[in-house]
Amino acid sequence: MKFTHLHVHSYYSLMDGLNSPLELVQAAKAAGQTAIAITDHGTLSSHREMQIACKEEGIKPILGVEAYISPTDRFDKSSKTDKSIQAYNHIILLAKNKKGLENINILQELAWNEGFYHKPRIDREVLDLYSEGIIVLSGCLNGLISKAIDRGSLDEARTLLEGFKKTFGPDFYVEVQSHNPEPINSALLELADELKIKAVATGDAHFAKEEDRVLEEAMLILSTSPKMDKDADFEMSRQIKDINERLNYLYPDRRISFQDYNLFIQSRSEIEADFNKAGITRTDIYENTMEIAEKIGEYDFNRGLDLLPVPKTNADQKLAQMASEGLKRLGLAESQVYIDRLNEELSVIKDKSFASYFLVVADMINWAKENDIMVGPGRGSAAGSLVCYALGITDVDPIEYDLLFFRFINPDRNDFPDIDTDFEDRRRKEVKDYLKKKFKHVASISTFTYFKDKGVVRDAARVFMVPLSDVNRAMKQVDTFEDFMDSPNTKEFRMKYPEVLWLAEKLRGKIRSVGVHAAGVVVAKEDLRNFAPIESREDPQDKVSGRIPVVAYDMDTVADIGLIKVDALGLKTLSVISD
């Protein structure tokens, strides 16, 4: 009795999926499964974490995405004025091999940078163009085919199925879920059999274990902010011991609830029992999940690559030449103290293969200065480098102020140094535009915020509608979760509302939102899509110019791959000084 989950959401499906990839993989392993897919909503951010988790647990990863697909084309925004037109549907894409993953990366970048309208959308044109190596499932109740059936347009559904079969052949499958309405599943299976397309069962898993159901409901309440029932009494709600029943009492009309669906990593017997209840007793829908798992090949896992742009000449020689010329410009070239210090630093930089990094940063700063963009004098440990001073990266003489180079670069460590650079904030975009023009392969870096500190306590209290006055009084003198747990000022609150403590502890460490790193950009010598997924975000420092490309990983993951962060921070103070 074998089965593979092919439609699975992690906490990278923001405020919709609950668990980390590792928790999902462990649940699949506990259910006796040997492979598991990851298919987050419109993002590939979970892929690397999924690969690591699967390697640790000895499970085969199936990397994919629940993509958003426009029913017309990716540029169409007519749903803004015509409510009869749906802006997007769902479709499952699974990478069969390295080529398939490469194509999914391309499709998702196009979705974020060309098709973004409410969601990152692809269309049939680009899906057909980049179809190689991709396995496609027809999607959930919001899929193109299910929606056509729901409208009573069986001919349209048949035409769509024929089109996907023509493009993907035996790598296209009709997806059925036990919680779909019976007429939808019946029509899906009848059309699949008629057109000789194999069908697969999926669970649309949003949490790892059955006992996580109430946590999923709590997260959905935080995500959708349903109104509390006007007739509900808070003190009465506290008498309800079952948390699910309590949430139903407080929020009886929730727009989204998974409470009645088994959207966890079920075993084969559990999911088969759900389908049997739904009147579907055929077993090929489970066997076909194993067929898909067997089709999946190896993926690349990049780590420690050297991806910085390199000059046409030798980077170490060019850096040494520029630093020596800088000493001359500063009038320090005749001092043996400065010459010895410079040579010592250059030796360490060469040994660590960091020369290209210094050249990229120096090029960025010197261009800014040449274009009358005010640049900060330098801060942090970079002020301890004579090479930085000679290149014009900093304006601080480390020897005059007795600053240590080895606080900047530790010879015993191989991680790249951080050179924090400040530009006047209103012209920071010009600096980033220059980097893109000069090096081409440039993107900002994603950040992920988590449920943590006193914020998670406030979130947990909000779920249970705890009076805000009680929350504010307890949280007034604490900053961290540990403060909350240990402070005598919160003891009364903790004793009075143990359910808040329980939920806050369960939510801690789960992803709450995504953003853009304030300063960091990655600069590479090759197409970034070869090494990491690319998305887009609104630039928090420039909301006029539209969306900017971002690597869909955080800075630690980016560094692990070998994509080096260059810091270009916009500082309002410099704009004021410039005026």
Side-chain angles (χ1 to χ4, degrees), residues 30 35 67 110 185 199 364 414 447 562:
L110 291 170
N185 276 340
M364 172 181 69
N414 290 321
T447 57

Side-chain angles (χ1 to χ4, degrees), residues 74-75 97 107 129 132 164 169 179 218 231 263 288 316 340 495:
R74 65 190 183 279
F75 302 106
N97 46 38
L107 287 167
L129 188 61
E132 184 181 350
F164 281 116
H179 50 266
D231 297 324
L263 306 188
N288 290 333
D316 293 310
D340 290 345
M495 295 292 289

Side-chain angles (χ1 to χ4, degrees), residues 402-516:
D402 197 25
L403 301 176
L404 300 177
F405 172 71
F406 293 110
R407 290 191 63 187
F408 175 51
I409 297 179
N410 185 339
D412 296 328
R413 297 177 60 182
N414 290 321
D415 48 333
F416 271 76
D418 259 338
I419 301 178
D420 297 317
T421 308
D422 298 314
F423 301 94
E424 51 182 296
D425 63 341
R426 65 189 172 195
R427 301 190 66 186
R428 175 176 177 262
K429 183 177 183 298
E430 294 176 49
V431 178
K432 292 178 72 175
D433 287 344
Y434 168 72
L435 288 173
K436 291 174 189 174
K437 183 177 179 181
K438 176 72 182 283
F439 300 109
K440 295 183 176 60
H441 310 301
V442 177
S444 294
I445 303 169
S446 291
T447 57
F448 297 93
T449 56
Y450 296 82
F451 285 98
K452 63 177 184 178
D453 296 333
K454 63 182 182 182
V456 71
V457 180
R458 288 188 175 276
D459 282 330
R462 183 154 64 92
V463 169
F464 293 110
M465 285 293 182
V466 174
L468 192 58
S469 57
D470 287 4
V471 179
N472 288 340
R473 186 165 51 251
M475 305 309 295
K476 186 165 56 176
Q477 297 180 17
V478 301
D479 292 315
T480 67
F481 190 77
E482 288 72 23
D483 291 342
F484 169 74
M485 292 294 292
D486 299 334
S487 173
N489 296 323
T490 64
K491 183 176 180 180
E492 180 184 350
F493 183 91
R494 286 183 278 122
M495 295 292 289
K496 186 176 181 180
Y497 301 115
E499 68 273 32
V500 172
L501 177 61
W502 171 81
L503 181 57
E505 286 184 314
K506 294 291 186 180
L507 290 177
R508 282 182 75 206
K510 301 188 184 303
I511 294 176
R512 198 184 195 289
S513 62
V514 65
V516 182

Side-chain angles (χ1 to χ4, degrees), residues 298-346:
E298 294 286 328
Y299 307 118
D300 287 332
F301 184 81
N302 297 309
R303 172 169 278 168
L305 302 178
D306 181 11
L307 297 172
L308 268 171
V310 293
K312 294 178 181 178
T313 56
N314 182 280
D316 293 310
Q317 292 177 3
K318 184 172 182 179
L319 181 64
Q321 178 188 345
M322 289 176 62
S324 297
E325 291 172 354
L327 275 193
K328 291 178 184 176
R329 186 180 65 255
L330 294 166
L332 302 172
E334 302 302 319
S335 168
Q336 194 61 43
V337 172
Y338 282 87
I339 292 171
D340 290 345
R341 171 70 172 263
L342 188 71
N343 288 335
E344 180 184 31
E345 290 190 16
L346 288 170

Side-chain angles (χ1 to χ4, degrees), residues 46 87 121 265 279 407 502 513 569 576:
S46 56
R121 306 174 305 163
I265 302 297
R407 290 191 63 187
W502 171 81
S513 62
L569 186 65
V576 174

